């Protein structure tokens, strides 16, 4: 597709369940970012993939959060044993490997933990 | 990454120029200034970026002071659809770096 695609657009889950959020970056983009945005708040960095390098996981809030990127393309963010405070919009972005290019964002997945 | 300071909110009349300031007094020589905006319930949208020269594109102009410690995003003729949160970001230009989003400026364009 022409842009970053995220699925599902909305997800409601019960507390304690695991969820998987998917991001399809723009074709050819080697960098992929995950952010979280709670209601009325700014964007919180979670994790960053760049090519075949080890990801920067410094923003993951707990060990319940993990992400992988298969084949340098699609990425999945997994949240285990979801809690109500995990409710937020999860945003994915991608950019090319040129150093001063911009990142393009998807529309996000709105996660609600009930 | 250097931090940025932006006013929390600004108002602008429709059709007038909107000038959004950003302070980045600790910016270093290898950091670019980026601007993004986020319209309600959408993902952030790239606007413009620059290193030290002023930049202009179809969306906006970016004015960076000579000492690079501050910049201004200019929307020349604001419309109601420009109502959004505008984020100023400085980003180190080397491999393996990320965008840090601060609180941004909520621009309210009024009829």
């Amino acid at each position: 597709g022409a842009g970053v695609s995220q699925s599902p657009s909305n997800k409601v889950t019960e507390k304690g369940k695991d969820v998987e959020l998917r991001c399809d970056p723009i074709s050819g983009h080697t960098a992929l970012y995950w952010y979280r945005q709670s209601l009325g708040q700014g964007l919180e960095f979670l994790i960053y993939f760049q090519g075949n390098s080890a990801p920067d996981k410094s923003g993951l809030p707990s060990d319940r959060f993990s992400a992988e990127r298969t084949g340098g393309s699609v990425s999945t963010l997994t949240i285990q044993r979801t809690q109500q405070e995990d409710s937020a919009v999860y945003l994915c972005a991608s950019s090319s490997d040129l150093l001063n290019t911009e990142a393009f964002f998807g529309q996000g997945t709105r996660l609600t933990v009930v | 990454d250097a931090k940025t300071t932006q006013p929390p909110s600004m108002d602008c009349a429709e059709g007038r120029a909107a000038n959004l300031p950003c302070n980045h007094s600790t910016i270093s020589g290898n950091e670019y200034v980026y601007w993004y905006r986020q319209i309600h319930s959408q993902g952030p949208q790239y606007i413009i970026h620059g290193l030290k020269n002023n930049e202009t594109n179809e969306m906006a102009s970016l004015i960076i002071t000579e000492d690079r410690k501050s910049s201004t995003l200019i929307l020349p003729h604001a419309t109601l659809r420009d109502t959004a949160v505008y984020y100023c970001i400085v980003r180190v230009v080397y491999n393996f770096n990320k965008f840090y989003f601060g609180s941004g400026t909520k621009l309210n364009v009024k009829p």
Side-chain angles (χ1 to χ4, degrees):
Chain A
V4 177
S5 177
Q6 292 187 247
S7 60
S9 55
N10 284 282
K11 175 73 175 179
V12 179
T13 190
E14 292 180 352
K15 178 181 174 181
K17 300 276 189 177
D18 298 351
V19 294
E20 287 189 350
L21 311 179
R22 177 186 169 105
C23 173
D24 285 88
I26 293 173
S27 178
H29 279 188
T30 59
L32 187 147
Y33 315 75
W34 282 99
Y35 289 83
R36 175 170 73 173
Q37 189 169 34
S38 300
L39 186 62
Q41 302 298 310
L43 278 75
E44 175 189 4
F45 167 76
L46 296 177
I47 189 169
Y48 169 42
F49 296 89
Q50 173 64 57
N52 296 320
S53 301
D56 178 351
K57 304 180 182 180
S58 61
L60 295 179
S62 76
D63 58 9
R64 295 187 296 105
F65 288 73
S66 63
E68 63 177 21
R69 188 177 185 194
T70 55
S73 181
V74 172
S75 177
T76 302
L77 178 68
T78 301
I79 309 173
Q80 296 178 310
R81 304 180 302 280
T82 52
Q83 305 294 313
Q84 288 186 329
E85 60 263 30
D86 300 335
S87 296
V89 176
Y90 289 81
L91 290 155
C92 176
S94 72
S95 66
S96 78
D97 58 359
L98 297 177
L99 295 180
N100 65 340
T101 57
E102 66 270 29
F104 297 87
F105 281 80
Q107 293 302 300
T109 294
R110 181 175 299 278
L111 175 66
T112 304
V113 182
V114 297
Chain B
D1 288 333
K3 295 191 182 299
T4 63
T5 304
Q6 299 177 253
S9 66
M10 292 182 64
D11 291 337
C12 178
E14 187 178 19
R16 302 299 293 268
N19 298 282
L20 293 96
C22 179
N23 286 323
H24 31 80
S25 58
T26 60
I27 193 170
S28 58
N30 61 350
E31 289 180 311
Y32 277 71
V33 179
Y34 287 77
W35 283 84
Y36 278 77
R37 73 179 181 184
Q38 188 173 28
I39 296 170
H40 183 60
S41 297
Q42 297 183 22
Q45 176 190 23
Y46 166 79
I47 301 173
I48 198 167
H49 73 283
L51 182 62
K52 51 186 174 183
N53 297 322
N54 298 336
E55 302 286 345
T56 296
N57 63 20
E58 65 278 5
M59 290 183 67
S61 294
L62 173 61
I63 309 298
I64 303 174
T65 58
E66 190 170 348
D67 63 6
R68 304 209 321 123
K69 294 183 183 300
S70 66
S71 61
T72 301
L73 180 74
I74 301 172
L75 307 179
H77 305 286
T79 71
L80 298 179
R81 288 174 294 180
D82 292 323
T83 292
V85 177
Y86 287 75
Y87 295 98
C88 170
I89 300 159
V90 291
R91 180 180 184 230
V92 177
V93 182
Y94 58 79
N95 198 16
F96 215 53
N97 63 94
K98 47 197 176 280
F99 293 83
Y100 283 102
F101 286 78
S103 301
T105 296
K106 175 65 188 301
L107 176 67
N108 298 299
V109 180
K110 300 184 175 182

